[in-house]
Amino acid sequence: MSKRRITPLRALLMAAGLTAGLVIAATWGLAWQRRPEPPAHTDLALDDPALIRQGEYIARTADCIACHTAPGGKPYAGGLAMQTPAGAIYSTNITPDPDTGIGAYDYEAFRNAVKHGIRRDGAALYPAMPYPSYAIMPEADLRALYAYFMKAVAPQRQANAKSTIPWPLNMRWPLIWWQALFAPTRTFQPAPELDANLNRGKYLVEGPGHCGACHTPRGIGFQETALNLQDGDTFLSGALIDGWRAKSLRGEAQGLHSWSQAEIIEFLASGRTNRVAAFGAMADVVSHSTRHMTAEDLGSMAAYLKQLPPAPGKLAAFAPKRDTLTESLLDGTERVRGALLYREHCMSCHRPDGQGVPRIFPALDGNSAIFAHNPQSTIQVTLEGGRMPLDPRADKMAFAMPGFSHLSDQDISEVLSFVRSGWTNQAPAVTPEQVREIRAFLATKAPHIQTGEHQ
Amino acid sequence: MSHHRSLRLCLTGLALALGLSAGALAQSTGAVAPQTYAVKDKNGQLLPAYTIPEDSEMLKHPDAEQILYGQRLLNETQRLLPDRVGAAMNCNSCHVVQGKKPLGAPFINTYNSFPQYNPRSERVMTLEERINGCMIRSMNGKKLPQDSREMQAMVAYMKWLAQDVPHGAQVQIQSSRPIDMSIKPDPVRGRTIYGAQCASCHGANGEGRKDARGNIVFPPLWGDESFNIGAGLARTYKAASFIYDNMPMGVHTKGAWGEGRTLSLQDAVDVAEFFTHMPRPDFPMKDKDWPSGKKPKDARY
């Protein structure tokens, strides 16, 4: 090592340095010339009450409030923690406060942020913001949305919280490349074979509803692997997010096969059916977004979802299975450990027949949240409990399930395996290791930012 | 060479750090300590602590079948004893979570505490007599023969639940909360609270709810299928105590069944006054209660 000569290692380092320099230079170039859309006209009648009302409805369809409000926090002031494998990021203040919110955004800056993930200062927004979906929203809707945020949302002074993602993973400039690759400028493409009603559903699902943000699997770049069905057959085929399994919305056994179109509408409108109740992140979606949508729009979404084909390689329907469990629970002859745990901790609400009580306690038999192939959601709700949404037009009370984190990993795996294969259910067993993983994930979750305690 | 060594050191450090944090994680996620309670004998001396047993422990007992049958009878009294039970009620409608819940009328001290002086009848009662008291009042039904298989199975379950706590000793667990009887009930307010907090499950007319097979899910709170006026739950402050600590169920993500603390004490007293005084079956033997006339304030007769 005494002589200065070009060793293979040194050559490698030099090549790496050169590449890094090129990447940074190219990123600057890319950032400099990012002009996703022609300049916007600024003759906006922001005070038009009809425009503001329209914008308010569009904000509901896009569910801005669910992510941009922390539990117990001021509407749209941000601070909701979103867990990523590298750490938590916090949603931002999108109230019109000029210093800490988006009050200084003109329409073009607003449109760039919503549709293309470009912050007013040019930095790239994390794709936790579903701008790849919002990209297909039409100009008229964006204008109404802008009017609503600027004129009808109360400004809140609350500075944005820093993410807990460590350097170098927290650098934003590589996201500009991500955007170039995965967030193309595009418009909505109606499917010619679908009628106007179904295409309206298609637009709401793909665009403002951003269903794919949770329900479409992500690729190695954290990008949704398909932004619509024409784009790829993984669209809405189910994904893992935040320790939840967002179910497949396709027409397969573990997707929406067991749901009627009327049940999908009832679920989106009220968060419950006689069989199921929304929990976890979907409870928020129903509370803040879908239950405020018009019957026509919910009908279009349900009709569109219900006609989606099974995803490739997925089981189209379960083989018929006869329930013999109810009788053995009623006559006291069922003695496996999972059954004893079920009798002791679950049965008074979910009942011997696993049917629960309509709109009060969800059924466990034939409930697609229970018989999902991946048990993560069931494990998480069993450990932490869950709360269903309330729509006062449909129900007087919201019910909740208590958490059972005091039970061991072994016990939870046994009772969940019992439930997932009980009655007519046909889902694989749960292992104690799977319970342990979710327990560890929950223990390390970063908290939400509450008003007044931001960084 | 130095490059390699520092790389190796670095990797070792990383592995160590990962290992340590994984170890810390494993510690923080282990099974939770079981619920234990102090036990005191008649003289207040501490005895070995009591742990609420889990149901699967029943199967290890030599009398497993009898104990399990007893628990099933307490959980599904009306379905399993249709000739003895007149109301659409089960023992566990009030003795919730298999008689294991603090402040939910647990059976944990029951077996140790009998024979016991009963203020209502002003005499000492055996456990079997006390269970039959429930059968003719809360269940609005008929007594079970004391030596019947059913009665002996219920007693066996309570004995198992007492574990090895000796007779006369008390597990330091509260059965119910005494309610200040100077709280003045407002039944009109109670009716409104009932509509908002109770009617979703117990029905707009207090009729309760049954499942597809006709088995009780939520017991009726008044009417022909409810408990009679001789039941403890027909008394305002006893009902208020139960409601305060156990109702409504399924509304929180904590607690044995997501219950309680939704209503204030005043709310609980008001709603209890409202529903206990709605029409319900008479208790034919009411004249024999409180023979010397020292009735509690909320007695119904």
Side-chain angles (χ1 to χ4, degrees):
Chain A
M1 298 282 267
S2 53
K3 282 183 195 165
R4 289 184 65 86
R5 60 191 164 92
I6 298 177
T7 63
L9 185 71
R10 197 159 303 209
L12 199 70
L13 283 173
M14 283 167 68
L18 199 66
T19 313
L22 281 171
V23 167
I24 291 166
T27 306
W28 271 335
L30 199 64
W32 189 252
Q33 54 135 32
R34 268 196 303 173
R35 292 283 181 273
E37 288 186 65
H41 299 288
T42 47
D43 53 343
L44 276 166
L46 290 184
D47 291 317
D48 176 4
L51 189 70
I52 291 171
R53 265 200 309 280
Q54 190 198 344
E56 183 177 11
Y57 183 73
I58 290 161
R60 288 294 190 188
T61 65
D63 202 9
C64 311
I65 197 164
C67 289
H68 285 280
T69 308
K74 293 277 193 288
Y76 298 115
L80 183 92
M82 296 178 188
Q83 320 294 331
T84 79
I89 55 177
Y90 289 97
S91 66
T92 54
N93 183 346
I94 55 166
T95 71
D97 180 65
D99 300 321
T100 62
I102 58 166
Y105 278 57
D106 62 13
Y107 172 68
E108 208 172 318
F110 177 82
R111 187 182 63 180
N112 264 347
V114 174
K115 290 180 67 176
H116 307 293
I118 301 169
R119 207 163 66 182
R120 186 161 162 269
D121 65 1
L125 297 176
Y126 286 113
M129 162 83 175
Y131 48 84
S133 300
Y134 294 160
I136 64 169
M137 291 171 73
E139 187 72 15
D141 285 14
L142 258 293
R143 287 171 172 235
L145 198 60
Y146 181 69
Y148 167 66
F149 273 101
M150 291 302 148
K151 296 294 177 183
V153 170
Q156 299 294 340
R157 199 174 168 79
Q158 180 176 317
N160 293 323
K162 289 195 182 75
S163 80
T164 66
I165 300 177
W167 188 87
L169 297 173
N170 65 348
M171 290 191 296
R172 282 180 184 261
W173 64 262
L175 289 172
I176 293 174
W177 286 93
W178 188 95
Q179 290 181 346
L181 283 168
F182 301 127
T185 299
R186 63 197 184 99
T187 52
F188 175 61
Q189 302 298 315
E193 71 277 15
L194 302 181
D195 65 17
N197 179 48
L198 289 170
N199 269 318
R200 171 70 180 163
K202 182 179 189 290
Y203 165 74
L204 289 165
V205 165
E206 290 173 10
H210 65 282
C211 306
C214 293
H215 291 276
T216 298
R218 293 187 183 250
I220 50 164
F222 201 62
Q223 83 286 10
E224 290 166 47
T225 48
L227 292 169
N228 54 52
L229 202 54
Q230 298 112 302
D231 188 23
D233 219 351
T234 57
F235 183 59
L236 300 181
S237 65
L240 295 174
I241 185 162
D242 236 13
W244 299 108
R245 164 71 184 175
K247 67 186 275 84
S248 166
L249 303 181
R250 304 287 292 273
E252 64 225 23
Q254 280 141 326
L256 290 179
H257 182 264
S258 63
W259 292 61
S260 71
Q261 193 168 314
E263 281 176 318
I264 299 172
I265 295 172
E266 190 185 359
F267 178 78
L268 295 174
S270 69
R272 313 177 201 177
T273 68
N274 284 347
R275 182 162 296 275
V276 308
F279 59 96
M282 194 62 203
D284 290 338
V285 172
V286 172
S287 283
H288 299 303
S289 176
T290 57
R291 75 181 185 89
H292 301 279
M293 290 171 69
T294 63
E296 292 74 24
D297 276 352
L298 292 182
S300 301
M301 284 173 85
Y304 173 71
L305 290 172
K306 193 57 194 168
Q307 56 84 54
L308 289 173
K314 296 289 179 68
L315 183 71
F318 287 115
K321 181 187 169 194
R322 202 168 69 86
D323 163 30
T324 54
L325 178 59
T326 302
E327 287 311 315
S328 61
L329 281 172
L330 284 171
D331 67 22
T333 52
E334 189 66 50
R335 297 292 166 83
V336 298
R337 186 168 167 75
L340 289 169
L341 288 161
Y342 180 75
R343 283 168 37 104
E344 180 164 5
H345 300 290
C346 322
M347 200 163 82
S348 64
C349 295
H350 295 292
R351 315 300 304 156
D353 57 7
Q355 296 300 315
V357 184
R359 300 193 76 80
I360 295 177
F361 302 132
L364 301 181
D365 180 32
N367 180 339
S368 60
I370 302 297
F371 62 61
H373 188 80
N374 183 303
Q376 285 199 4
S377 291
T378 340
I379 296 171
Q380 186 169 161
V381 85
T382 305
L383 285 170
E384 293 244 295
R387 197 177 290 281
M388 62 172 77
L390 174 67
D391 185 278
R393 294 168 302 184
D395 299 285
K396 273 187 188 163
M397 285 175 75
F399 293 90
M401 162 156 153
F404 289 88
S405 58
H406 54 283
L407 297 183
S408 68
D409 297 339
Q410 181 69 35
D411 280 357
I412 289 179
S413 71
E414 291 202 32
V415 74
L416 289 183
S417 297
F418 171 79
V419 161
R420 280 162 52 85
S421 62
W423 308 286
T424 63
N425 290 341
Q426 301 173 56
V430 177
T431 65
E433 289 69 34
Q434 288 173 309
V435 181
R436 190 175 311 140
E437 279 167 25
I438 297 293
R439 209 192 278 271
F441 167 78
L442 294 173
T444 55
K445 246 182 169 178
H448 302 300
I449 299 292
Q450 302 298 335
T451 309
E453 55 174 77
H454 50 80
Q455 286 174 269
Chain B
M1 282 312 199
S2 62
H3 287 289
H4 291 156
R5 196 177 304 137
S6 59
L7 186 70
R8 202 160 46 219
L9 255 174
C10 204
L11 282 176
T12 314
L14 190 69
L16 202 65
L18 281 175
L20 282 176
S21 55
L25 216 58
Q27 268 191 343
S28 70
T29 60
V32 179
Q35 280 181 287
T36 59
Y37 296 88
V39 181
K40 288 182 183 170
D41 71 9
K42 276 175 239 180
N43 306 317
Q45 296 297 306
L46 279 176
L47 299 177
Y50 170 89
T51 302
I52 299 180
E54 62 168 86
D55 279 2
S56 60
E57 295 289 318
M58 271 191 278
L59 297 186
K60 298 174 189 161
H61 198 281
D63 301 327
E65 288 307 317
Q66 189 190 26
I67 296 167
L68 190 63
Y69 182 50
Q71 190 197 50
R72 291 178 58 226
L73 287 167
L74 293 163
N75 279 340
E76 302 176 84
T77 326
Q78 201 237 11
R79 184 174 75 86
L80 298 177
L81 300 174
D83 298 336
R84 298 280 167 183
V85 177
M89 305 285 297
N90 295 320
C91 300
N92 83 351
S93 301
C94 301
H95 301 275
V96 300
V97 193
Q98 349 279 4
K100 294 180 177 184
K101 184 183 169 295
L103 296 168
F107 292 134
I108 287 166
N109 280 315
T110 305
Y111 186 78
N112 303 322
S113 308
F114 281 86
Q116 188 186 64
Y117 178 76
N118 182 278
R120 186 163 53 194
S121 55
E122 296 176 4
R123 67 179 179 87
V124 173
M125 272 189 170
T126 63
L127 176 53
E128 288 84 351
E129 286 178 305
R130 183 64 190 79
I131 291 173
N132 272 334
C134 276
M135 292 300 290
I136 59 174
R137 296 161 189 270
S138 300
M139 313 307 282
N140 194 32
K142 300 189 197 108
K143 290 182 181 178
L144 288 163
Q146 300 217 359
D147 56 356
S148 63
R149 183 174 160 249
E150 289 76 18
M151 177 64 84
Q152 290 311 311
M154 290 188 197
V155 172
Y157 176 72
M158 293 176 193
K159 184 181 179 197
W160 170 76
L161 201 52
Q163 297 285 289
D164 297 320
V165 177
H167 192 268
Q170 289 281 309
V171 179
Q172 301 300 298
I173 187 169
Q174 220 180 331
S175 182
S176 63
R177 174 190 310 269
I179 300 277
D180 177 2
M181 287 177 66
S182 69
I183 298 174
K184 196 173 173 300
D186 178 350
V188 176
R189 200 170 162 268
R191 179 189 289 273
T192 310
I193 295 167
Y194 180 86
Q197 300 283 349
C198 318
S200 293
C201 297
H202 292 287
N205 299 305
E207 71 275 19
R209 177 131 38 156
K210 293 177 182 166
D211 68 15
R213 284 176 171 71
N215 297 322
I216 306 154
V217 181
F218 302 114
L221 298 188
W222 67 84
D224 293 343
E225 287 203 298
S226 190
F227 47 86
N228 68 39
I229 58 166
L233 257 277
R235 288 166 49 185
T236 299
Y237 295 93
K238 276 190 175 280
S241 170
F242 179 82
I243 292 163
Y244 181 73
D245 285 306
N246 299 287
M247 288 287 137
M249 69 181 294
V251 293
H252 293 304
T253 55
K254 302 268 188 283
W257 60 354
E259 75 282 4
R261 305 301 158 78
T262 304
L263 304 180
S264 68
L265 278 173
Q266 181 70 54
D267 292 344
V269 169
D270 292 348
V271 78
E273 176 78 3
F274 163 69
F275 88 82
T276 56
H277 288 72
M278 293 299 277
R280 65 182 60 261
D282 190 25
F283 176 52
M285 284 168 283
K286 61 190 173 195
D287 296 342
K288 296 203 172 78
D289 285 349
W290 299 292
S292 65
K294 279 185 240 158
K295 293 180 187 179
K297 181 182 165 184
D298 58 353
R300 298 296 304 278
Y301 40 84

